Amino acid sequence: MTGALSGIRVLDVATLFAGPLAATTLADYGAEVIKIEHPNGDPVRNHGAQRDGVGLWWKLLGRNKKAVTLYLGSPEGQEIFREMVADADVVIENFRPGTLERWGLGYDELRKINPGIVLTRVTGFGQVGPYAKRPGFGTLAEAMSGFAAITGEPDGPPMLPPFGLADGIAALATAFAVTTALRAREQTGQGQVVDMAIIEPILTLLGPQIIAYDQLGVLQERTGNRSSNNAPRNTYRTRDGSWVAISTSAQSIAERVMRLVGRPEFIDEPWFASGAERAKHADELDEAVGSWIAARDRDEVITAFEEAQAAIAPIYTAADIVEDPQFQALGTIATLPDDELGPVRMQNVLFRMSETPGAINWTGAPVGAHTEEVLGGYGVTPQRLARLREQGVVR
């Protein structure tokens, strides 16, 4: 493995999404990530779409990780894990608070083995507080953060995203937290505990809702695709049945759009000079823009907007994404060999770096694919491994 995080060893004992995705991100940029699964396999292997019984989500989430099985609930599994911690840099876990302590693997014990270890704890509600021991998932964070309350049509119910939004945001925040803790260790020589509550990072991305409530007593309402800060801003259907989205966050863009759609008289209205005031006239602006777009095919609309230097994007599906020339130029979608599925396409690493780029070296491996290799490096002999398999400690 090469990359900016080369030389960092991560033990990933988390399941499902936020913690494991954080570990995947670290692995993409060179960290050696050892994925420690229950002998029955990580639940994500059977989550979502499958092909011939092979979980596709796992291929993405398990990439660049060495797949090892080890039952941490057994004394011998705990013994082996302690040996692994001795030369690790990071542990990422998402058990309910108190679980590691019950197994004798809490931070106080781990730092005796390795004072520099960064124990990263990713849970729904964090390690303290009245909700700490509740089961927590991203859906609950999307509800409690205020995201659902502001998402959806004004006369409709609160809306949840159809994917792991809060988990994904928490995963990126966790990866940043880990690298921050590792930087601190360079200065102090000491590891620490990272307490990541999935309910928290999404709050930051939702913008000034807390301070607006604190200072003005304002609660943001559901506005569908519209924005309370600018207009026109919506999705619009084209003549050929496609959809496009436009935004006019900048005043100059708003003016260009209205000239393009043949309604320059709006620009002279006193209210047009303010995004918030334009939003109060969204019905009029949407009718002007929407009727112009509805009379033209998608490609014609996009070309006209580009020539006018106005902001527009087509509404894409995965089928569109893999064919788009901009994504192709960026290398956003990678094609990789896979022993079980053959060539597979998936999202590439998150960002490009000129000197220490990230890379996908392999896709998610089968259960226990690296157990013998990794545990052998910790002195587990083939004979002991066979016994551990018989006992269900490994697979």
Side-chain angles (χ1 to χ4, degrees), residues 337-392:
D338 183 83
D339 291 340
E340 296 177 289
L341 299 174
V344 298
R345 289 184 289 187
M346 66 175 64
Q347 300 94 313
N348 210 332
V349 298
L350 283 173
F351 48 86
R352 288 156 294 284
M353 301 178 71
S354 63
E355 304 302 322
T356 54
I360 306 173
N361 296 289
W362 64 85
T363 58
V367 177
H370 302 98
T371 298
E372 186 171 354
E373 171 197 334
V374 172
L375 296 192
Y378 290 95
V380 177
T381 65
Q383 294 79 12
R384 185 184 179 192
L385 193 64
R387 176 173 58 80
L388 292 172
R389 284 199 173 104
E390 291 177 0
Q391 296 172 344

Side-chain angles (χ1 to χ4, degrees), residues 243-256:
W243 290 86
V244 295
I246 72 168
S247 175
T248 56
S249 296
Q251 179 68 22
S252 59
I253 299 294
E255 293 177 5
R256 291 170 193 167

Side-chain angles (χ1 to χ4, degrees), residues 299-319:
D299 289 349
E300 180 185 355
V301 170
I302 291 174
T303 298
F305 266 73
E306 289 179 347
E307 290 176 350
Q309 299 185 50
I312 190 169
I315 304 294
Y316 272 177
T317 67

Side-chain angles (χ1 to χ4, degrees), residues 209-292:
Q209 63 167 351
I210 301 298
I211 193 170
Y213 172 70
D214 175 68
Q215 296 296 305
L216 303 172
V218 172
L219 294 175
Q220 186 173 341
E221 299 178 349
R222 290 188 289 282
T223 58
N225 289 326
R226 289 177 172 176
S227 168
S228 60
N229 299 311
N230 69 84
R233 189 262 198 185
N234 212 326
T235 59
Y236 307 90
R237 192 167 191 172
T238 61
R239 182 171 58 190
D240 55 358
S242 298
W243 290 86
V244 295
I246 72 168
S247 175
T248 56
S249 296
Q251 179 68 22
S252 59
I253 299 294
E255 293 177 5
R256 291 170 193 167
V257 169
M258 300 322 297
R259 292 191 185 100
L260 173 63
V261 302
R263 301 297 298 273
E265 68 274 12
F266 280 116
I267 300 172
D268 296 326
E269 294 288 346
W271 50 262
F272 196 86
S274 163
E277 289 301 311
R278 291 201 309 273
K280 296 176 182 178
H281 295 262
D283 286 343
E284 301 165 67
L285 296 172
D286 271 348
E287 191 283 326
V289 173
S291 60
W292 186 91

